[in-house]
Amino acid sequence: MTKQIVITPKASLDIDEYFAYIAQENPETALLFFNSVRETFAQLARTPGMGSRYPLDNLSLQGLRKWAVKGFKKYLIFYFEGDETIEVVGFSMLGKI
């Protein structure tokens, strides 16, 4: 079953900021990053539960999972898996969590 991807405003802003950051050095790589994010979302929609749980003490964040962007392993997607949706709540670059 393919789940619907829901991207929170925070996650959307994160994507835009990382795209702009990468584009400063290499616009072509930034476009590749954007396409890889989209491909990774599609993969998450088809294969929910990928990645590992991200351990946090905050009870409201229990169940948070992380998965790397395809081809950009230091960029992590943080998401919750629901019955019918994958809710992407944020992105982070390794070392900046």
Side-chain angles (χ1 to χ4, degrees), residues 11-23 26-41 68-77 91-93:
S12 183
L13 181 62
D14 289 346
I15 295 167
D16 291 346
E17 287 177 355
Y18 287 126
F19 176 85
Y21 173 77
I22 296 167
N26 190 329
E28 288 181 25
T29 300
L31 291 174
L32 181 60
F33 170 77
F34 186 77
N35 287 332
S36 293
V37 168
R38 289 180 46 181
E39 286 180 32
T40 304
F41 285 164
V69 174
K70 180 182 176 183
F72 292 83
K73 298 299 180 193
K74 68 180 188 177
Y75 292 91
L76 301 176
I77 298 170
F91 276 73
S92 184
M93 188 167 56

